[in-house]
Structures are given as C-alpha cells and as structure tokens.
Amino acid sequence: MELKELISQKLNDNFVDAELEFSEFRYELSVKLNKKFINPVCKFLKEDPELEFLLCEDITAVDWAKRKNRFTVVYHIFSIKNSFRLVLKADVDENDCNIDTVSSVWKTSNWQEREVFDMYGIKFNAHPDLRRIYMPEEFEYHPLRKDFPLLGIPGSLPLPKK
C-alpha cells in the first residue's frame, strides 16, 4: 500500500467525525480537517509507528478575507522515516478565532504558533506562552490580515526613542 493511501486509511479509521478531506497537488498530500481534531490528529500522526511525523516544519495561516471561515491554519509536517511531507489544514472563523495548540505534540510549534498569533490574531488554546513575537505587546493590530493597510496605520506603532 502506498504511503498516501495508508495515511488516508488510518486517519479515516481513527477520526470518523473529523470531517476529513484529502487532496493532492503536485504529489503533495493535504488533509483538511475540523479544527477540533487538530491536536489528536497531530498526536496520532507523530506517534503511529508506521508514520512517525516527528517534525513540524512550519505553521502558517491564510487570510481569505471574505470567506465564511476567514482563516485557514496550515501545518507542514514531515516524516523522516518515510521521507514524506504532509500538509494539514484547519479552517478558523473570525468570530471564533482560536484553535487548539499542538505545542504539546511538537515543541517547535511553540514559536510558530506565536508568529501566527502575532501576524493574524489567531489564538491557540492552551498555548504555554502565547504572546507577540515580532510586534510590541501594546500593538493592537495584526499586520498580515488582509484588512491591515499596506503602509500601516499612522501613529499606531511607537518608534524607538533616540
């Protein structure tokens, strides 16, 4: 059985209610799932002896601006054992702008989630240290949101004193 089929089968067998959607683009498998299942799915993918996705390479987000679920949180994970990269996607609505952290699964995701929080304003539930990573703590905007002006908001960011 091919690895992509194995991943699909195992996820479908173990997460029946996760609303899984599988797609493939340029030989890369993506799995879209309900955000409630992000932590258990990630934990399963890491701990399954045949899969062993031990590395979370990146976490980012997409701001779709006008869609019902405005944001999609995207996880790029890698199985060194199988030399295989998998993309996980979970939609997040602007009115309920949070998703569970996966920092308990991969410690590297701690800073990646902080970056997504800082740039998009998506909160990660139960994150051990969710605070801004680039912008000052008192900055009230999130610069990578589509509604943030390209030239910034005059006077919103205090400059360092000379």
Side-chain angles (χ1 to χ4, degrees):
M1 179 183 289
E2 187 181 335
L3 186 61
K4 292 175 186 174
E5 294 171 3
L6 180 65
I7 293 168
S8 302
Q9 180 186 2
K10 284 184 175 248
L11 289 177
N12 279 323
D13 290 348
N14 289 289
F15 301 97
V16 177
D17 298 328
E19 302 167 17
L20 299 168
E21 294 177 28
F22 297 89
S23 62
E24 190 173 332
F25 181 72
R26 296 191 178 183
Y27 308 108
E28 188 173 78
L29 180 64
S30 294
V31 181
K32 191 170 184 177
L33 64 146
N34 185 318
K35 72 176 188 175
K36 294 176 189 170
F37 293 88
I38 193 67
N39 193 297
V41 167
C42 288
K43 188 174 181 180
F44 174 80
L45 290 169
K46 181 180 180 184
E47 294 177 354
D48 186 274
E50 290 181 281
L51 302 178
E52 290 187 7
F53 283 91
L54 299 178
L55 179 62
C56 179
E57 295 178 319
D58 188 33
I59 300 174
T60 188
V62 178
D63 181 357
W64 300 105
K66 296 180 180 177
R67 287 190 184 175
K68 179 185 173 202
N69 290 314
R70 180 175 173 176
F71 302 101
T72 300
V73 181
V74 182
Y75 303 79
H76 295 98
I77 61 175
F78 189 74
S79 169
I80 297 168
K81 176 181 183 177
N82 298 304
S83 187
F84 186 82
R85 181 168 291 109
L86 179 65
V87 178
L88 300 174
K89 299 176 181 178
D91 287 336
V92 175
D93 186 43
E94 185 176 14
N95 297 324
D96 186 24
C97 201
N98 63 71
I99 188 168
D100 290 341
T101 182
V102 294
S103 62
S104 60
V105 180
W106 298 289
K107 289 190 186 260
T108 55
S109 66
N110 183 322
W111 284 38
Q112 297 163 349
E113 289 176 344
R114 283 181 59 196
E115 183 180 28
V116 171
F117 165 71
D118 195 8
M119 296 290 110
Y120 293 95
I122 299 168
K123 294 181 180 156
F124 290 87
N125 303 327
H127 190 280
D129 186 23
L130 191 62
R131 58 188 163 99
R132 289 189 174 266
I133 195 165
Y134 299 123
M135 305 306 290
E137 283 295 325
E138 63 273 6
F139 192 67
E140 60 185 282
Y141 305 101
H142 302 284
L144 290 184
R145 285 186 170 200
K146 295 271 173 124
D147 54 4
F148 189 81
L150 283 177
L151 297 176
I153 298 171
S156 65
L157 186 61
L159 297 174
K161 295 178 182 172
K162 293 183 180 180

